[in-house]
Amino acid sequence: MANPNTKFLVVDDFSTMRRIVRNLLKELGYNNVDEAEDGVVALGKLKGGGFDFVVSDWNMPNMDGLTLLQHIRADAEIKHLPVLMVTAEAKKENIIAAAQAGANGYVVKPFTAATLDEKLAKIFEKLEKAAA
Amino acid sequence: MITSENLQEPTTLAGHAQALTPQDEMLNRIGHVTRTLHDSLRGLGLEKIMEQVAQEIPDARDRLKYVAKMTEQAAERVLNATDAAMPLQDAIQSQGNALEANWKAILANASVKSEYNKIAHETLAYLAATSKNSAETKALLMDIMMAQDFQDLTGQVIKKITTLAQELEKQLVQVLVDFSPNMAKKETENHLMNGPQIDPENTADVVANQEQVDDLLDSLGF
């Protein structure tokens, strides 16, 4: 079930999408949400610590979502963080690349609240199993 | 092409220069084709059209930017409104639920006068409906909020088109520069007044040393 203290970082260059994801998370019971507008800002915030979950777009200026994911996986301090990609990139090779880079889930825009809920639940379930 | 006829012609240096090598003749012909193309473009008014297109692209870009700005503003307004409305709906629902519970508790008390019963039941029905309706309104508000994701998606497409337009503009301007009326002047410059070659080894149709100059002259029968 939703742990309301789970701290999310929502990474997207469009403020509209950040707000939408933030509101959806709030509706799902997660009130602890921070935002970043690109991979560089996100990485800075993540390295500062305190985050439990990353929801990231792919196509962003400065540092894209895949590169962000690769940086996360390469950093011993934050490599354990679950990362859910939420992106308009819909090519098979994108999805494969994200999976190979260690993404925990992949949601294609436009998406529904139910899809986000389902993917989050799946990721948390897997994490719990892995921890048990 | 070098034919015996060419070689037998009266030997002014200019006459020989015109019949230099097959490469020279090829370049000459390309020059003519280019000139013809240029003249045709002008004749057809295409040059003007291209110039116009190149000028209009920045305008198209500005319009796309305007679309992006306006849709973003509209999406923000909607999100502000749904953000404000959702807590109101939450309050209506939770207060309705609390009143409903209170009324039910009072009705459970046998001492309540019968004349209150009718209005109490009506109130209960209203409160139940309120709870159901606010839940539905909230779902609709969420739907309105989700619909604003178009701004991200159309925005990405507009960005792509803007980049494309920029590229197209650059190339059109380059075409215009290449085919500008100054071309004739440039052409002569290119032909005979190029100054020292800074990278002869890697430049076509340029000699690299005196030996090559002599060989060339030899081959022409000088």
Side-chain angles (χ1 to χ4, degrees):
Chain A
M1 257 335 282
N3 176 354
N5 295 321
T6 309
K7 187 168 184 188
F8 282 80
L9 183 64
V10 176
V11 194
D12 200 309
D13 53 335
F14 278 85
S15 67
T16 311
M17 189 48 75
R18 292 202 301 271
R19 281 182 76 173
I20 289 175
V21 174
R22 179 196 275 271
N23 278 339
L24 284 175
L25 289 173
K26 196 172 150 199
E27 199 54 31
L28 295 172
Y30 305 105
N31 288 306
N32 201 355
V33 180
D34 198 357
E35 299 177 15
E37 72 258 26
D38 63 40
V40 174
V41 177
L43 202 58
K45 289 195 173 189
L46 291 172
K47 282 183 172 171
F51 288 93
D52 305 302
F53 205 108
V54 182
V55 177
S56 180
D57 184 24
W58 186 309
N59 194 345
M60 294 177 289
N62 301 322
M63 186 195 283
D64 64 65
L66 183 69
T67 313
L68 171 65
L69 172 60
Q70 287 162 341
H71 273 90
I72 293 173
R73 291 294 175 254
D75 186 325
E77 294 288 314
I78 52 175
K79 65 189 288 185
H80 63 280
L81 285 178
V83 177
L84 174 64
M85 301 296 291
V86 178
T87 167
E89 305 301 331
K91 281 192 177 175
K92 276 184 189 166
E93 54 187 286
N94 281 91
I95 298 160
I96 293 166
Q100 283 172 343
N104 298 70
Y106 197 102
V107 173
V108 176
K109 294 175 187 171
F111 62 99
T112 64
T115 308
L116 185 71
D117 190 12
E118 184 200 319
K119 298 297 169 210
L120 286 175
K122 217 176 194 172
I123 292 172
F124 281 127
E125 195 182 308
K126 274 192 185 166
L127 289 176
E128 271 168 35
K129 264 188 195 162
Chain B
M1 279 195 59
I2 303 163
T3 64
S4 53
E5 242 180 81
N6 288 139
L7 290 173
Q8 279 159 12
E9 266 178 48
T11 55
T12 64
L13 205 57
H16 273 285
Q18 261 181 358
L20 274 182
T21 62
Q23 284 97 323
D24 271 345
E25 186 168 336
M26 186 185 75
L27 286 177
N28 237 332
R29 282 200 198 175
I30 292 176
H32 279 298
V33 171
T34 312
R35 161 60 66 191
T36 311
L37 179 65
H38 175 53
D39 290 346
S40 316
L41 280 175
R42 292 182 73 178
L44 290 168
L46 284 178
E47 201 184 54
K48 275 268 160 290
I49 293 172
M50 282 203 297
E51 209 178 290
Q52 220 173 8
V53 170
Q55 279 167 2
E56 278 170 6
I57 285 175
D59 179 54
R61 227 171 42 209
D62 287 347
R63 284 167 195 268
L64 279 177
K65 257 191 209 151
Y66 177 79
V67 172
K69 198 181 96 195
M70 293 312 279
T71 51
E72 185 181 351
Q73 279 177 5
E76 290 288 329
R77 274 173 67 190
V78 173
L79 288 178
N80 287 342
T82 53
D83 276 3
M86 278 196 264
L88 298 179
Q89 284 306 123
D90 279 340
I92 290 170
Q93 190 175 21
S94 62
Q95 284 162 16
N97 287 344
L99 273 175
E100 193 181 359
N102 286 346
W103 273 109
K104 276 183 179 162
I106 287 172
L107 282 178
N109 189 334
S111 73
V112 169
K113 286 181 182 171
S114 65
E115 56 262 39
Y116 286 115
N117 272 4
K118 191 168 164 279
I119 189 104
H121 280 292
E122 277 171 14
T123 310
L124 270 177
Y126 169 76
L127 290 172
T130 303
S131 180
K132 188 172 153 282
N133 290 345
S134 21
E136 271 171 26
T137 308
K138 187 105 184 288
L140 292 172
L141 286 171
M142 288 293 285
D143 228 25
I144 293 169
M145 180 198 79
M146 283 303 289
Q148 305 315 305
D149 71 349
F150 81 89
Q151 199 270 320
D152 174 5
L153 300 171
T154 56
Q156 288 192 41
V157 173
I158 287 174
K159 255 190 200 169
K160 267 216 158 30
I161 295 175
T162 309
T163 316
L164 187 93
Q166 223 155 2
E167 198 47 46
L168 194 63
E169 182 192 357
K170 222 168 69 191
Q171 289 182 11
L172 273 178
V173 166
Q174 192 54 51
V175 168
L176 286 173
V177 166
D178 291 348
F179 283 82
S180 70
N182 297 331
M183 194 179 77
K185 200 172 131 222
K186 259 196 237 157
E187 231 170 34
T188 36
E189 276 171 6
N190 284 345
H191 268 161
L192 298 171
M193 289 184 288
N194 299 302
Q197 291 297 325
I198 52 167
D199 187 13
E201 251 81 19
N202 294 311
T203 309
D205 295 316
V206 166
V207 290
N209 52 44
Q210 186 54 44
E211 207 172 43
Q212 287 178 10
V213 176
D214 294 340
D215 285 350
L216 179 62
L217 287 170
D218 263 354
S219 74
L220 292 170
F222 281 104

